[in-house]
Amino acid sequence: MFALHNHSVASVNSFNYGLTLIVIKYFDCFRDCFVILVDDVVAIAQTAFETWSQTSPLRRARIMFKYLELLNANRDELAAIITAEHGKVFTDAQGEVTRGIEIVEFATGIPELLKGDFTEQVSTDIDNWVMRQPLGVVAGITPFNFPVMVPMWMFPVAIACGNSFILKPSPTDPSASLLMAKLLQEAGLPDGVFNVVQGDKEAVDALIENPDVKAVSFVGSTPIANYIYERCAHFGKRSQALGGAKNHMVIMPDADMDKAIDALIGAAYGSAGERCMAISVAVLVGDAADKIMPKLIERTKTLKVKNGMELDAEMGPIVTKAALERITGYIESGVASGAKLLVDGRNLKIANHEDGFFIGGTLFDNVTPDMKIYLEEIFGPVLSCLRVANFTDALKLVNSCEFGNGVACFTSDGNIAREFARRVQVGMVGINVPIPVPMAWHGFGGWKKSLFGDMHAYGKEGVRFYTKQKSVMQRWPEGIAKGAEFVMPTSK
């Protein structure tokens, strides 16, 4: 049950690793609980920021290096926590942890990333330089589907830049955040620089409304991303709010069909489709459908759906019963709207896990753009196939979608590939790459209703998001002309 007395009150359990760990939900098994205001957590982070922001970038980098070492030593423990709480297969969880660690590796280079620009003698006896300084207390609100990787898109860069950070993970799988906090403490991060607040909307609103929280990063559904973006704007703080997706894979007739099928199976059904970069729509151009469908049906039917800790598992359970019911509701909608259900993953039972939230890979053909299963993000292992006549129609279909997160095109034609990359209105594009998630030194973010805000996550854009620019011009007394100047200064 909830121990919320107002929008900013939470209960605290005994999981305190020296950093601030606030847990909104109250469990009877924790005897030593007490009530604390979320605003008090922000105050702790603000106090820590005043010292941390004055710490040299090199010392911050050394703590990140130590944290990197600890993460590598504990990567399998983190992955096991993900599988236990989320359900994704262990090997996939290991991959998630690895991609998160890559952001920490990027953050260790913060002394170079924070170097400013300098121009000597911009005008007579005047020098000008630009520096980047931390914002203060910043918050990250993260989803259930990547409880390690997505937080690491945020806090390593934010902390390395000199900010203090408050993480509000999903209440569905909160335990990984506690281990990450413990490892940060072991790495030598001062108390209060990294804080974990567990909770739901009340905690989110309390963070947004607190004037000492200067920026908010979010990854989740489009409606909530829009809400957070608007609320942050109302309170005068910056935000990067990454929303939902409806990612397409365009398969041209000249594509290597075996490789395209491999890519499509992994991208559509990996992590049970619970990825914002999952391919949920296959756009089959010309006779590509005739070439691909027989093998695609067979591969979908033979997916290995198991307990995620079994190493040969290709797909684990859905995260919650509510999510499973939502996905089956979409399948029912697809059937009712006239789509051809080729593989039905409903009512799947796994031996020794009969009460688990399992669903098999589901495949639709002859889907049309007006159907609910095409228009809305299902966030499950459901692949919709649409057939179009040519490349122009395929591009038009993708560009008409309200989301613009990720897209892929499989082809052997260099000109088609180049034109697709140039003309498609999507933020992350793969050419013969099914899930084009950028590497740590680039930035992650979509277009249209997949991103609210101006800057992408991590990479150099992440550094810019978590810092503010300051320009300094200096002139010393010997170079100051006598008398007042009443005209606009110009270079002389």
Side-chain angles (χ1 to χ4, degrees):
M1 73 179 182
F2 286 90
L4 290 169
H5 302 290
N6 59 49
H7 75 283
S8 62
V9 178
S11 63
V12 180
N13 69 25
S14 57
F15 284 132
N16 194 321
Y17 293 114
L19 305 171
T20 312
L21 303 177
I22 307 302
V23 182
I24 295 293
K25 291 187 177 179
Y26 176 92
F27 298 94
D28 291 336
C29 57
F30 299 119
R31 297 179 180 177
D32 299 324
C33 292
F34 61 97
V35 172
I36 188 170
L37 298 175
V38 171
D39 288 350
D40 288 348
V41 183
V42 178
I44 292 169
Q46 179 62 37
T47 299
F49 166 73
E50 292 167 5
T51 302
W52 180 246
S53 61
Q54 299 304 312
T55 304
S56 71
L58 182 58
R59 186 179 169 217
R60 294 183 220 144
R62 286 171 177 162
I63 290 175
M64 282 295 128
F65 271 113
K66 181 61 178 177
Y67 186 51
L68 176 63
E69 177 184 330
L70 291 169
L71 286 171
N72 280 316
N74 291 273
R75 65 169 65 213
D76 284 352
E77 183 178 355
L78 274 169
I81 289 172
I82 295 169
T83 298
E85 288 190 337
H86 174 277
K88 69 175 64 175
V89 301
F90 181 67
T91 52
D92 187 28
Q94 288 176 310
E96 172 186 341
V97 174
T98 297
R99 291 304 299 263
I101 287 173
E102 289 170 358
I103 308 298
V104 180
E105 291 173 333
F106 171 78
T108 61
I110 201 64
E112 172 68 20
L113 297 167
L114 289 179
K115 282 172 58 177
D117 298 320
F118 179 84
T119 303
E120 180 186 27
Q121 206 75 350
V122 293
S123 188
T124 304
D125 296 327
I126 297 178
D127 303 327
N128 188 190
W129 72 88
V130 175
M131 63 181 74
R132 302 206 69 89
Q133 296 183 321
L135 302 177
V137 180
V138 298
I141 302 162
T142 57
F144 74 85
N145 59 326
F146 288 101
V148 169
M149 183 183 74
V150 171
M152 286 191 192
W153 286 358
M154 303 172 185
F155 73 79
V157 178
I159 289 172
C161 286
N163 302 283
S164 56
F165 193 92
I166 300 174
L167 172 63
K168 206 299 291 180
S170 168
T172 302
D173 44 10
S175 298
S177 62
L178 302 181
L179 179 55
M180 289 189 291
K182 179 178 182 290
L183 296 178
L184 277 169
Q185 184 196 26
E186 292 179 10
L189 190 70
D191 290 355
V193 176
F194 180 76
N195 312 275
V196 175
V197 177
Q198 308 280 14
D200 292 321
K201 183 177 183 295
E202 293 85 354
V204 171
D205 287 338
L207 290 169
I208 292 174
E209 293 168 14
N210 190 296
D212 284 334
V213 176
K214 303 301 182 184
V216 175
S217 299
F218 171 81
V219 175
S221 69
T222 286
I224 305 303
N226 191 25
Y227 170 82
I228 287 175
Y229 177 71
E230 290 179 351
R231 292 292 288 167
C232 285
H234 175 78
F235 287 100
K237 57 192 65 180
R238 65 173 64 176
S239 64
Q240 51 179 191
L242 284 68
K246 199 69 181 180
N247 305 315
H248 300 68
M249 180 188 289
V250 175
I251 302 177
M252 298 298 295
D254 64 354
D256 183 316
M257 292 301 163
D258 288 335
K259 291 181 180 178
I261 292 169
D262 285 341
L264 194 52
I265 286 288
Y269 301 123
S271 197
E274 294 175 317
R275 295 171 174 164
C276 66
M277 288 294 283
I279 294 295
S280 55
V281 179
V283 183
L284 309 177
V285 181
D287 63 356
D290 298 330
K291 298 176 181 178
I292 206 171
M293 289 309 298
K295 290 184 179 180
L296 184 59
I297 292 169
E298 182 60 27
R299 290 288 298 278
T300 304
K301 286 180 176 179
T302 57
L303 281 169
K304 295 177 182 177
V305 184
K306 298 184 175 185
N307 180 328
M309 289 305 295
E310 297 184 46
L311 295 184
D312 64 337
E314 295 173 330
M315 202 168 80
I318 301 301
V319 66
T320 64
K321 182 179 181 180
L324 178 64
E325 291 173 349
R326 188 196 68 247
I327 294 165
T328 56
Y330 274 107
I331 296 171
E332 292 165 4
S333 172
V335 172
S337 62
K340 188 175 181 180
L341 183 58
L342 299 177
V343 183
D344 188 351
R346 293 173 293 178
N347 302 314
L348 179 67
K349 296 296 181 182
I350 304 298
N352 301 317
H353 300 287
E354 286 79 8
D355 294 328
F357 308 138
F358 289 95
I359 186 171
T362 298
L363 179 63
F364 279 104
D365 195 6
N366 300 121
V367 176
T368 58
D370 59 337
M371 293 180 181
K372 183 178 179 180
I373 58 170
Y374 173 77
L375 294 170
E376 298 181 12
E377 184 176 33
I378 299 174
F379 223 64
V382 180
L383 177 61
S384 298
C385 295
L386 283 77
R387 302 178 182 225
V388 298
N390 51 50
F391 173 74
T392 300
D393 289 345
L395 189 63
K396 182 179 179 180
L397 177 71
V398 175
N399 286 346
S400 65
C401 181
E402 66 176 352
F403 301 107
N405 210 45
V407 70
C409 179
F410 274 65
T411 181
S412 298
D413 188 320
N415 182 62
I416 289 290
R418 183 176 185 274
E419 285 302 299
F420 184 82
R422 289 182 63 249
R423 294 165 57 189
V424 73
Q425 296 171 17
V426 176
M428 293 171 282
V429 182
I431 303 299
N432 298 320
V433 174
I435 302 181
V437 177
M439 297 303 291
W441 50 94
H442 296 291
F444 183 102
W447 288 10
K448 297 185 279 190
K449 288 188 177 181
S450 293
L451 174 66
F452 297 85
D454 298 323
M455 284 176 271
H456 291 189
Y458 65 81
K460 291 184 178 179
E461 289 225 334
V463 174
R464 284 192 286 270
F465 179 78
Y466 290 120
T467 57
K468 51 193 173 186
Q469 178 178 300
K470 179 182 286 183
S471 178
V472 180
M473 300 187 75
Q474 70 171 6
R475 180 172 60 183
W476 296 99
E478 291 78 1
I480 299 175
K482 294 181 179 180
E485 298 179 1
F486 296 98
V487 299
M488 174 63 68
T490 59
S491 179
K492 299 175 183 178

